[in-house]
Amino acid sequence: MRSDQQGYDRGVTVFSPDGRLYQVEYAREAVERGSPVVGVCADEAVVFAASGPRRSSLMAAESIEKIHDLDGRLGAASAGHVADGRRLVDVGREFAQRERLRYGEPPRVESVAKAIADFVQETTQTGGTRPFGAALLVGGVDGAPDPLTGESPHRGGDSVPGAVDSGPRLYEVDPSGAPTEYHAAAVGHGADESRAFLETEYEPGLDRAGGTTLALEALTESVDEPTAAELDLAVLDADGIDSFGPERRASALDDAGLAAS
Amino acid sequence: MRRRHDPRGTGHGIERLRGRRRRPGEPVEAGGQRGEQSRSGDQPRYETGTTIVGVTASDAVVLAADRRMSLGGRFTANKAVRKVERVHPTAAMAISGAVGPAQRLLDSVRAEASLYASRRGEPLSVPALARTAGHAVTGLPVAPLLGGVDEDGPRVYELDGSGSVLADAYAAGGSGLQVAYGVLERRFEDGLSVEAATETATAAVATASERDTASGNGVTVAVITDDGVAVESRAEAADAGDDAEGVA
């Protein structure tokens, strides 16, 4: 143990004298070790791209889940501890259905992201727990008809004062439980490079294909050569989540000029 | 300090999502206005003032219902009730019984089906959906029909508050069921076209609406195929054809 930490990393609920929560910072390290995911807001869609490399040729590639359907409409992409990520995804799934039961309308991206974030935050302040070693990108299109009922969701529309705009939204939830909205985001191994790339290259008004290409290019900043087999790719638009199969992944890589294999 | 993580927190029941579990036999709150709520002892009892039918075609299911909500079958409380709703990408449910519990049942079944699809990456099969609905309806004063299509073809299920789940090729429910069955028994045959099944289901509801005072005010029809669920509702008296005009 480094002397400057003096045991302040023993419990998650203990601040260091300079106001840091070491366990939460270690959890962020766990996220940094995870294979990367990228999210990009296009004009009418959110694109998720992720890399899920197989550690062994014996592993079934389809069993590596990086992008998850939350309620048929919204989705989440996870990086870090797989088991922790799965738990957070299920929290999001149950929240989405509970909102429907309570209000009769689907929740917005912001509501789901904040519900997951609140759940994560509790683990940073409760004795006997450890923080989640996973970060989530939560995205989708607000204000679209609910695929479950076919009904338009929110009272709202532009004419209602205080109504939130409809359109694509993207949130990141980190191990501290902080929800942050982004136009484009990256988490996981090499995310700094992807983020730097997105900061220079992202511009609003991307179409679906442009968003997909940008997400794949950003992912390539942190993964050497993404192959169609190890890629996970999904577009979330007004019709819900659309996960790409192997052939469409290969052609998306082709379109982005990144065809490797 | 209170332990945060409920070890049961990974259970999968929708009742848990609602935050409480209803025990069998526990009286349901009087959410339903439709139908007689007569109290004998402590037990509220609900009549079903409605006509609902389900008819299978060769590769589709048609569910139909009237649109009336009545108070004890004596006063029309609402003339545009939607008693058929989609609960699954290729399944819908028609409700009879107390309105409040029936509406909550629709929400619960829809939530269960959606959660299953998100978790497993494929939709519930129709028999599994029927079983799920059977669990959800147990103890409720509701007797719905469920119609769905999957790779094994179209099916109609009759459900009720005792939890029974009965598959059939056609079925009717609600206070108008005897009149509706009269039409179905005469007109149903295996392998109907979608159009013929729609006409049969609509005629059954229309005929029942002629004689059952608790049914009427038009018809809602859901056509369920591989492609999805199309629900249509109309206020005008449905064409009962020669079934309502008496056989000459």
Side-chain angles (χ1 to χ4, degrees), chain A residues 69-72 87 90 93-94 97-98 101 119 122-123 125-127 129 132 146-151, chain B residues 1-2 4-5 9-12 14 16-18 82 86 104 107-108 110-111 114-115 117-119:
Chain A
D69 170 16
L70 290 181
D71 64 347
R87 179 77 183 102
D90 209 62
R93 285 174 177 164
E94 291 201 355
Q97 295 306 333
R98 200 181 299 122
L101 290 174
F119 186 78
E122 283 191 54
T123 64
Q125 229 179 357
T126 307
T129 64
F132 280 90
D146 189 354
L148 263 57
T149 58
E151 288 168 12
Chain B
M1 180 175 283
R2 184 173 66 92
R4 168 59 191 81
H5 286 289
T10 50
H12 288 179
I14 288 295
R16 194 175 61 75
L17 297 184
R18 291 186 186 279
R82 188 162 153 164
R86 178 166 72 153
R104 291 202 318 174
D107 287 345
S108 290
R110 193 182 292 122
S114 174
L115 206 51
S118 293
R119 280 175 170 151

Side-chain angles (χ1 to χ4, degrees), chain A residues 78-122:
Chain A
S78 55
H81 272 288
V82 174
D84 287 14
R86 277 175 47 76
R87 179 77 183 102
L88 293 181
V89 165
D90 209 62
V91 166
R93 285 174 177 164
E94 291 201 355
F95 175 80
Q97 295 306 333
R98 200 181 299 122
E99 285 282 288
R100 283 185 169 81
L101 290 174
R102 181 170 290 167
Y103 301 116
E105 55 184 45
R108 295 175 179 281
V109 177
E110 177 184 347
S111 311
V112 176
K114 288 184 172 173
I116 297 170
D118 290 347
F119 186 78
V120 172
Q121 190 277 339
E122 283 191 54

Side-chain angles (χ1 to χ4, degrees), chain A residues 6-76:
Chain A
Q6 308 236 348
Y8 290 112
D9 61 354
R10 295 284 181 89
V12 68
T13 57
V14 181
F15 274 116
S16 76
D18 53 351
R20 296 162 64 181
L21 289 170
Y22 285 117
Q23 284 297 331
V24 171
E25 294 186 17
Y26 299 163
R28 288 207 182 91
E29 291 298 321
V31 173
E32 282 291 313
R33 286 165 185 269
S35 50
V37 300
V38 171
V40 171
C41 272
D43 225 10
E44 290 171 355
V46 172
V47 182
F48 284 143
S51 165
R54 289 189 295 173
R55 291 187 302 277
S56 156
S57 58
L58 300 175
M59 275 176 74
E62 320 82 69
S63 72
I64 301 172
E65 296 174 330
K66 296 289 287 178
I67 301 174
H68 317 263
D69 170 16
L70 290 181
D71 64 347
R73 194 177 53 99
L74 310 183

Side-chain angles (χ1 to χ4, degrees), chain B residues 58-242:
Chain B
S58 58
D59 49 7
V61 182
V62 178
L63 292 182
D66 72 305
R67 310 202 315 157
R68 176 172 297 177
M69 180 176 103
S70 70
L71 298 176
R74 287 188 292 274
F75 182 82
T76 301
N78 193 302
K79 301 193 280 185
V81 181
R82 188 162 153 164
K83 300 182 190 174
V84 188
E85 283 193 23
R86 178 166 72 153
V87 294
H88 174 279
T90 59
M93 210 170 192
I95 51 173
S96 75
V99 181
Q103 287 178 335
R104 291 202 318 174
L105 173 71
L106 287 170
D107 287 345
S108 290
V109 172
R110 193 182 292 122
E112 289 278 15
S114 174
L115 206 51
Y116 182 101
S118 293
R119 280 175 170 151
R120 312 228 180 160
E122 61 183 7
L124 265 169
S125 72
V126 172
L129 179 69
R131 180 69 71 97
T132 303
H135 293 310
V137 75
T138 303
L140 298 180
V142 181
L145 294 176
L146 178 76
V149 178
D150 63 14
E151 61 269 21
D152 292 328
R155 259 165 307 216
V156 171
Y157 286 89
E158 261 183 292
L159 310 166
D160 69 27
S162 74
S164 73
V165 178
L166 302 169
D168 214 333
Y170 61 97
S175 54
L177 71 84
Q178 296 197 45
V179 182
Y181 266 124
V183 176
L184 294 181
E185 294 300 347
R186 192 160 69 80
R187 292 180 56 154
F188 179 81
E189 54 192 66
D190 282 330
L192 287 172
S193 68
V194 176
E195 294 73 26
T198 304
E199 281 168 22
T200 301
T202 312
V205 170
T207 308
S209 297
E210 295 280 338
R211 289 285 175 178
D212 177 36
T213 55
S215 302
N217 301 108
V219 62
T220 306
V221 180
V223 177
I224 303 139
T225 63
D226 266 348
D227 293 334
V229 180
V231 184
E232 197 186 321
S233 203
R234 47 177 195 272
E236 73 269 23
D239 177 18
D242 60 3

